[in-house]
Amino acid sequence: MASPRTVTIVALSVTLGLFFVFMGTIKLTPRLSKDAYSEMKWAYKSYVKALPALKKIGISSVFLRKAIGTLELACGIVLTLIPGRPKDVANFILLLLVLIVLFFHQLVGDPLKRYAHALVFGILLTCRLLVSRQPDEEFSEKKSSRGSNGAHSREPSKMKVS
């Protein structure tokens, strides 16, 4: 049977991966929702207007929206389907993207209801990353119960009583 840690990681990976696949697709194409797509276009135009440095270096609202959407889509697919270390890399990239998007929302003065989902999914990404980086309990318990030569330690555990 799978450990609770494994179940948690898989559940968070699939849920977060599918969410970011959905959000990335909305940023790239109006096929899923024309209203959401046009809202994204409007939002990214306001982000570029609020940060003129982006225009100066040649980043348009279309490029910014498509770049973030493509990264969300790609990292969402990795988080959902690819096993191992790439999931943690995708998780980290998505966490950086969420922080960037939160910065943009604050920059234009959006109300909390416009970016609450980004806060929640940023927290979930952080939790997934922290849980996935924790060592397995079984492995660390086995390792600590063995001596330096690999044999089980016969010393009773000492407990401090006050």
Side-chain angles (χ1 to χ4, degrees), residues 64-130:
L64 184 63
R65 179 176 44 84
K66 288 186 176 186
I68 290 177
T70 302
L71 280 171
E72 285 180 350
L73 181 63
C75 289
I77 289 170
V78 168
L79 211 52
T80 305
L81 300 175
I82 309 292
R85 188 83 162 155
K87 282 187 189 240
D88 291 341
V89 174
N91 193 141
F92 186 73
I93 291 169
L94 287 170
L95 195 54
L96 290 178
L97 286 176
V98 166
L99 291 173
I100 290 167
V101 169
L102 286 172
F103 170 75
F104 283 140
H105 281 292
Q106 286 297 308
L107 190 66
V108 298
D110 282 341
L112 178 62
K113 69 178 185 178
R114 291 225 353 126
Y115 62 89
H117 70 280
L119 281 172
V120 170
F121 282 95
I123 291 168
L124 288 173
L125 284 166
T126 304
C127 289
R128 191 219 162 271
L129 196 59
L130 290 174

Side-chain angles (χ1 to χ4, degrees), residues 15-30:
T15 304
L16 290 167
L18 291 176
F19 172 77
F20 282 104
V21 165
F22 177 71
M23 290 305 293
T25 304
I26 284 178
K27 287 179 179 85
L28 296 174
T29 180

Side-chain angles (χ1 to χ4, degrees), residues 9 18 24 37 48 51 57 59-60 79-80 83 101 104 111 126 136 144:
I9 292 171
L18 291 176
Y37 179 75
V48 171
L51 200 62
I57 59 174
I59 296 177
S60 68
L79 211 52
T80 305
V101 169
F104 283 140
T126 304
D136 281 334
S144 66

Side-chain angles (χ1 to χ4, degrees), residues 137-149:
E137 289 179 19
E138 295 172 12
F139 180 72
S140 61
E141 285 176 9
K142 285 180 183 176
K143 198 172 185 180
S144 66
S145 70
R146 294 184 181 265
S148 60
N149 63 357

